[in-house]
Amino acid sequence: MPLKIRGYRMEIASRAAGSLGPMKTIGPSASKPTFAELLSECVTSAVHLEMHDRHLTTDPAFLAWKAGQPHEEDTEPYRVFRALVSDTVARGVVARRARIVSEPVSDYVRWEHSLTEPHNIAAEELVRWLPRERASALALPGNPFWVFDGRLVRFSIFDGDGALVGHQFTEEPAIVEFCTSAFETVWGRATDHADYCISTD
């Protein structure tokens, strides 16, 4: 079944013989809908579930923070993201992000937590945190994902060092329903960012 969005056409997962078929990973350099394009077509909701304690660890701002050096976190990519999300929310789209984290938290999560208020919350994203020990009995997808308007899933694939390998896309109803259900279960158990105090000991 093809996925069509703003002129893109990609083969996505389909059901066969009672199981969900494999999904092709589309690398960073391949032609695919961008996050901005996916968000621009949203009309109701965009939800994101993060499950890694470390990813994108080559971010210069993170490396500088980790080394205790002066750093500039409000760079152009951060400003572009905030403007994109803010514009999306202004259209009436509800943007939510849930993070499952190990405790005590990793250095990356400490840095991420410090950015949430001036970055995500400032863009009017709703953010909640769930300690991993409270997620043991949950059925969760194997990779972090976005669900757009309850119809399209974009999985992010990372390598073992946290670098982005590529993305997988699907509109397969069973996968969309599974990811949506997983997100809502996590969201219901998670703590609002304003009330979540990170544990480092």
Side-chain angles (χ1 to χ4, degrees):
M1 180 170 58
L3 165 65
K4 295 180 180 179
I5 180 170
R6 287 187 173 272
Y8 289 91
R9 179 185 175 91
M10 294 178 284
E11 292 303 314
I12 61 175
S14 61
R15 296 198 79 160
S19 63
L20 296 174
M23 285 182 282
K24 179 182 178 182
T25 299
I26 304 170
S29 62
S31 177
K32 61 187 177 184
T34 66
F35 177 70
E37 289 167 332
L38 292 168
L39 211 55
S40 71
E41 295 197 349
C42 272
V43 295
T44 58
S45 67
V47 301
H48 184 30
L49 180 61
E50 298 181 68
M51 297 178 283
H52 291 18
D53 290 317
R54 290 180 176 83
H55 64 281
L56 304 179
T57 52
T58 57
D59 188 312
F62 168 66
L63 294 176
W65 173 87
K66 188 176 178 181
Q69 300 171 353
H71 57 284
E72 174 58 57
E73 292 168 337
D74 195 25
T75 57
E76 184 66 15
Y78 289 85
R79 290 192 289 270
V80 168
F81 174 85
R82 285 199 303 275
L84 175 62
V85 174
S86 293
D87 290 346
T88 300
V89 173
R91 298 198 318 269
V93 176
V94 178
R96 293 182 291 161
R97 179 184 302 258
R99 291 168 170 154
I100 298 175
V101 295
S102 301
E103 293 183 327
V105 300
S106 67
D107 51 2
Y108 186 89
V109 170
R110 279 197 296 127
W111 175 69
E112 192 174 50
H113 185 271
S114 73
L115 290 179
T116 299
E117 185 71 35
H119 185 53
N120 304 91
I121 304 298
E124 298 188 78
E125 252 193 305
L126 305 175
V127 181
R128 291 185 182 181
W129 304 77
L130 182 67
R132 197 173 302 280
E133 66 176 16
R134 296 181 57 196
S136 297
L138 303 186
L140 301 170
N143 292 296
F145 61 84
W146 281 88
V147 180
F148 300 95
D149 284 339
R151 65 169 186 85
L152 169 67
V153 178
R154 187 192 77 165
F155 293 102
S156 296
I157 312 299
F158 296 94
D159 68 15
D161 294 320
L164 183 67
V165 172
H167 296 104
Q168 295 171 333
F169 301 82
T170 183
E171 288 179 312
E172 165 58 47
I175 300 177
V176 174
E177 181 180 358
F178 173 50
C179 290
T180 300
S181 176
F183 179 86
E184 295 299 344
T185 300
V186 171
W187 187 259
R189 294 190 179 198
T191 301
D192 188 77
H193 175 73
D195 300 318
Y196 180 70
C197 297
I198 63 172
S199 171
T200 57
D201 299 316

